[in-house]
Amino acid sequence: MITPNFDEQANFYEKVWGLDRVDVPEEKNTVYFRGAGPEHHIVSLHKGEKRGLHHISFGMVDKNAVDRAAEILKSKGVRITKEPGNLDEAGAGYGLQFVDPENRVIELSAWVEVQTSTWNKKNVDPVKLNHVVMNTKDLDMIVEFYTNVLGFKVTDWSEHQMSFLRCNRKHHSIAFNQDEHASVNHIAYEVDSVDELMRGISNVRKAGLEELWGPGRHGPGDNIFCYFQDPGGFVMEYTCYLETIEDESEWRARVWKRVPHLMDQWGIAGPPKPKARKAMKGDPDPGWVEETVDIR
């Protein structure tokens, strides 16, 4: 993520949200954070004048899968901004970057380094990024691209407002919400239990921030959730127990009604209030520009 509130946001992730900072001394305007899982890092912050998405990374099986993806992307006329090769960035690995139809930078990578250091145990230990949700100006167009070009599958719809897409057994790794502009809607971090999620609420409250929406339990995905807005203005979610797809051959995408008891099955949080919707709307994000293609 690109943020003008670099120091404050970095301190929040480390001191409140529960992530561990990954030391990369040579990078002064970028900071990386790991979760309790083995991934080298799960989020990076980049100092900038306006907040926005820097890039989204998806893991591939191996180098051959990355190379094959490059061939497919080129055959479909997708602009590759970083050709397949060894990645000169924290975590290294082998990968490529391209831009989607709304100018988001997407990275496909393999063989990224794993963490061998000891995790700093806390009362809340986010394991990994569970999913990201992006706002889009054209829901049908972007779903068409992610399914027909990148091979994602539609798991569910929230009427014709949101589409939940999967690339593995998880209900969704990315979702898109129809809005007036492209931007980050929210970023969800997975914790192991509802107990951890509730302790996370306590931690954030003690830091002087209130929950934006939740706690509750979604209909689509069946996951427990609680949303907050970080010091950079991004909406963040603690989540657990996201639904998994046990039999691909039997799954059929459902269309969920946008009614309060399906947005929150518990009936505690209800639908998001105007403040939450405004925060999730985010700022218009123009996306990739030539000058920043080689920094992560």
Side-chain angles (χ1 to χ4, degrees), residues 254-275:
R254 303 162 294 188
V255 179
W256 294 78
K257 292 290 185 182
R258 293 180 66 79
V259 292
H261 71 276
L262 295 179
M263 293 182 181
D264 170 26
Q265 298 182 73
W266 290 345
I268 299 171
K273 293 180 171 57
K275 179 181 179 181

Side-chain angles (χ1 to χ4, degrees), residues 41-266:
H41 63 277
I42 61 174
V43 67
S44 58
L45 295 180
H46 307 261
K47 187 178 292 186
E49 294 182 0
K50 295 182 179 180
R51 63 182 171 125
L53 177 71
H54 196 279
H55 71 280
I56 303 172
S57 292
F58 292 100
M60 305 291 282
V61 174
D62 55 24
K63 174 182 180 295
N64 291 334
V66 174
D67 291 339
R68 177 58 181 152
E71 294 174 4
I72 294 171
L73 291 169
K74 289 177 180 178
S75 73
K76 295 181 180 291
V78 177
R79 182 173 186 179
I80 293 179
T81 58
K82 182 180 291 185
E83 291 287 341
N86 294 324
L87 297 173
D88 183 20
E89 56 193 33
Y94 183 91
L96 63 82
Q97 290 185 350
F98 65 93
V99 289
D100 76 6
E102 291 184 305
N103 226 25
R104 299 177 190 87
V105 176
I106 306 297
E107 181 177 275
L108 305 178
S109 57
W111 297 345
V112 177
E113 296 172 2
V114 296
Q115 286 290 346
T116 57
S117 60
T118 303
W119 169 252
N120 179 26
K121 182 71 176 174
K122 311 168 189 69
N123 71 340
V124 177
D125 299 300
V127 179
K128 58 186 176 182
L129 270 187
N130 184 277
H131 62 268
V132 296
V133 176
M134 308 302 297
N135 296 316
T136 176
K137 290 181 64 175
D138 190 335
L139 185 61
D140 291 330
M141 177 276 296
I142 205 69
V143 169
E144 173 82 8
F145 177 83
Y146 276 77
T147 54
N148 289 346
V149 176
L150 299 185
F152 284 76
K153 297 179 181 179
V154 176
T155 306
D156 280 330
W157 294 85
S158 178
E159 294 187 4
H160 195 249
Q161 179 65 37
M162 291 187 69
S163 184
F164 300 87
L165 306 179
R166 69 186 187 276
C167 57
N168 49 41
R169 290 177 57 210
K170 292 194 303 182
H171 180 273
H172 58 286
S173 294
I174 191 168
F176 290 95
N177 174 68
Q178 179 69 51
D179 213 319
E180 297 173 355
H181 54 248
S183 61
V184 177
N185 183 288
H186 71 268
I187 301 167
Y189 295 79
E190 183 174 326
V191 295
D192 280 336
S193 68
V194 67
D195 288 337
E196 277 198 68
L197 188 147
M198 298 304 286
R199 289 196 295 269
I201 295 174
S202 176
N203 291 346
V204 176
R205 284 180 177 177
K206 289 174 182 176
L209 300 174
E210 295 182 356
E211 54 270 30
L212 196 63
W213 181 31
R217 188 158 201 160
H218 286 313
D222 198 37
N223 51 311
I224 297 172
F225 68 87
C226 196
Y227 295 76
F228 307 87
Q229 191 170 20
D230 74 14
F234 293 95
V235 177
M236 307 167 67
E237 175 189 1
Y238 280 133
T239 193
C240 59
Y241 309 154
L242 182 71
E243 183 177 13
T244 57
I245 310 306
E246 300 300 333
D247 188 345
E248 283 282 352
S249 65
E250 295 293 325
W251 189 265
R252 300 293 180 272
R254 303 162 294 188
V255 179
W256 294 78
K257 292 290 185 182
R258 293 180 66 79
V259 292
H261 71 276
L262 295 179
M263 293 182 181
D264 170 26
Q265 298 182 73
W266 290 345

